[in-house]
Amino acid sequence: MIAQRVGVTALRRGPAGLFAQLPRAAALQTRPVTTSKISQEDGHQILVNQRLQRPVSPNLGIYKIEQTWLGHSAWTRITGCTLSGAAYLYFTAYLGAPLLGWHLETASLVSSFAALPFAVKGGIKFMLGFPFAYHFINGLRHLWFDLGKGFAKPSIKKGEMALWTSSILGGLFLAFGL
């Protein structure tokens, strides 16, 4: 409390230019407050009418369609949910396999996967490798954004191209080992 008073006193005694910027009238303006008593139902009706005038949040009319339907934040969530959903589905099937008479042991999965044609094997591996690579690389990109860097429009465009290119190359590498 005393330190606050000392600081305010110092500001008052400071250089004249400190408070000379504000006109005296602006510092002393007051606005009369008027209140009126209304019933609770009327107050509720006022709030309902105000809510009807508000835009839906978020107001989708302000976004450009090409920026929203391919939003990288959304696709990071989608690829994460796809990968974790596939893992949960497999692990649940693996746990239920003995009860249902399925053979999901490693040896039977490897032999059945080896019997598939090369293009089908590559497609299955790419369908798992691409979302993994995309999710991983875009996660790194989001960490870069969390540092407050890369928000300029040209760097976002370059980052998007680098993200797609590296994700496709990463998926191909995981699928075919090129």
Side-chain angles (χ1 to χ4, degrees):
M1 187 71 155
I2 293 174
Q4 183 181 7
R5 287 184 188 166
V6 169
V8 170
T9 306
L11 284 174
R12 286 183 185 154
R13 292 183 184 161
L18 197 61
F19 288 105
Q21 306 293 331
L22 295 174
R24 288 276 184 201
L28 300 176
Q29 283 183 352
T30 60
R31 187 174 70 181
V33 177
T34 59
T35 59
S36 60
K37 227 171 207 333
I38 58 173
S39 68
Q40 189 172 5
E41 294 83 23
D42 291 340
H44 180 69
Q45 189 59 39
I46 290 171
L47 286 175
V48 168
N49 291 337
Q50 287 176 349
R51 288 182 185 134
L52 288 175
Q53 300 302 320
R54 294 181 192 156
V56 176
S57 177
N59 188 357
L60 297 177
I62 65 171
Y63 298 116
K64 292 182 181 177
I65 190 68
E66 64 270 8
Q67 291 177 342
T68 56
W69 83 281
L70 276 180
H72 294 287
S73 180
W75 282 106
T76 300
R77 291 182 178 100
I78 290 168
T79 54
C81 289
T82 302
L83 291 170
S84 61
Y88 279 122
L89 184 68
Y90 170 73
F91 294 135
T92 304
Y94 187 80
L95 287 175
L99 299 172
L100 300 171
W102 297 343
H103 293 285
L104 292 180
E105 299 88 19
T106 305
S108 63
L109 287 179
V110 168
S111 63
S112 63
F113 194 76
L116 294 173
F118 179 75
V120 174
K121 285 191 284 190
I124 291 171
K125 290 193 291 184
F126 184 76
M127 284 176 35
L128 290 173
F130 172 74
F132 179 79
Y134 183 89
H135 187 77
F136 178 75
I137 295 167
N138 204 22
L140 294 176
R141 185 172 175 242
H142 275 278
L143 288 174
W144 184 252
F145 285 160
D146 288 343
L147 293 174
K149 300 181 182 195
F151 283 112
K153 188 91 168 177
S155 65
I156 289 175
K157 294 271 187 194
K158 288 178 186 173
E160 287 176 359
M161 289 306 297
L163 171 67
W164 283 108
T165 305
S166 59
S167 297
I168 291 171
L169 290 176
L172 289 171
F173 177 76
L174 290 173
F176 300 107
L178 298 175

